[in-house]
Amino acid sequence: MHIHNLSKENSILNQFIAEIRDVSVQNDSMRFRRNIERIGEVLGYELSKALEFETRSITTPLATITTETPKNDVVLCSILRAGVPLHNGLLNYFDKSENAFISAYRHHLDSPESFEIVVEYLACPDLTGKTLILADPMLATGQSLIATYKALEPFGKPKNVHIVAAIGAEPGVAFLEENLPEDTNLWIAAIDQSLNNKGYIVPGLGDAGDLAFGAKLQH
C-alpha cells in the first residue's frame, strides 16, 4: 500500500486537524463538520494528482486552448454517519463522481473492548473499471474499512482503490496494508501512534460521528 501522510509537511491542513482535536473547539459541531469537509477537500486535491489525465480542447470567449483534465470514472464511498462531512469535502472537488454509501458500525459484544463490525445499509453503483475512493475520517483498527471493501466486492472490480482518512493509528494502517491490494493508496492527514483498549485512536479526537452529529445511544 502506498501511504501519503500529509502531516509530514506543514500546510494549512495543520490548522484544520488542530481544531478537530481541540476540546475547546469541538463543542461547535458546525465548525467540526466544516473542518472535516475542508480536510476532505485538501486530501482530494492531493489525491487528484494520482489520477489519469487527458487532453481536451476548450473554447474561451477569445481563443481555443488545450488543457489536461482527469479522465477517471470516480466513485466516492463513505461510511455512515461519520463519513458524511468527509464525503462532502471530496464531492466538492470530484463533483462528477458517482456515489456509494454504507453503514458499518461497531457492535459491542460482552464488553466495550470487544466488538465486531456490522454492515447493514449499502447503496452502490457498478464499480467495474472505476476509481473507488473510500472515505472514513477515523482509521482506528481498520476493521470497518476492510469490512466495507469486502462488502463492495459484488459490485465489480475497481481499477484503482484510494482510502481517504483524516486521522489514523499505526495499528490500523498496518491492518490495511495486510488486507488490501498492494497498489492501494492511502491519503491521510495525520497518523497517531496507538489505540486504547476500546479501539479509539490516541491522542485522536474522540468519536467523530458524535462530534459531527450528536451523541447516540448504544444498542
Side-chain angles (χ1 to χ4, degrees):
M1 185 170 69
H2 307 290
I3 301 170
H4 310 272
N5 180 3
L6 272 62
S7 68
K8 291 184 176 180
E9 249 186 319
N10 286 331
S11 72
I12 190 61
L13 192 60
N14 295 22
Q15 179 67 32
F16 306 149
I17 290 293
E19 290 192 2
I20 63 173
R21 290 188 191 268
D22 191 338
V23 293
S24 68
V25 181
Q26 286 183 344
N27 60 350
D28 185 345
S29 59
M30 184 171 68
R31 187 166 189 82
F32 183 87
R33 291 192 302 271
R34 180 62 184 123
N35 278 328
I36 293 288
E37 186 176 336
R38 286 168 165 168
I39 292 165
E41 291 172 346
V42 174
L43 293 171
Y45 167 75
E46 293 295 332
L47 186 159
S48 72
K49 298 175 184 178
L51 299 180
E52 298 175 48
F53 284 73
E54 61 184 355
T55 302
R56 292 180 53 200
S57 178
I58 302 295
T59 301
T60 79
L62 301 176
T64 300
I65 62 167
T66 57
T67 187
E68 301 288 321
T69 57
K71 62 181 289 188
N72 302 62
D73 293 321
V74 174
V75 178
L76 299 177
C77 178
S78 62
I79 300 176
L80 301 174
R81 63 184 169 148
V84 171
L86 189 62
H87 188 110
N88 288 340
L90 291 164
L91 191 58
N92 287 344
Y93 281 19
F94 301 109
D95 53 356
K96 295 181 179 178
S97 69
E98 296 178 276
N99 294 270
F101 297 92
I102 187 168
S103 70
Y105 65 91
R106 295 179 178 185
H107 174 64
H108 292 275
L109 304 172
D110 300 327
S111 68
E113 293 79 16
S114 176
F115 61 86
E116 62 180 357
I117 302 299
V118 177
V119 174
E120 289 184 345
Y121 176 81
L122 172 57
C124 183
D126 182 13
L127 298 175
T128 305
K130 297 177 182 177
T131 296
L132 174 63
I133 301 176
L134 293 176
D136 191 6
M138 306 301 288
L139 169 50
T141 66
Q143 293 181 45
S144 294
L145 278 165
I146 296 303
T148 297
Y149 179 76
K150 290 180 177 178
L152 295 175
E153 287 178 345
F155 293 87
K157 182 176 175 57
K159 183 177 181 180
N160 321 103
V161 178
H162 298 268
I163 308 294
V164 174
I167 298 175
E170 290 179 0
V173 173
F175 187 74
L176 292 192
E177 287 188 283
E178 294 169 5
N179 290 277
L180 289 174
E182 289 184 3
D183 59 351
T184 301
N185 284 273
L186 170 64
W187 305 86
I188 193 164
I191 299 177
D192 294 347
Q193 275 195 325
S194 61
L195 300 169
N196 66 12
N197 61 354
K198 295 183 180 180
Y200 279 88
I201 300 171
V202 180
L205 56 74
D207 189 306
D210 286 359
L211 290 168
F213 299 110
K216 60 187 177 298
L217 294 177
Q218 296 285 355
H219 293 286

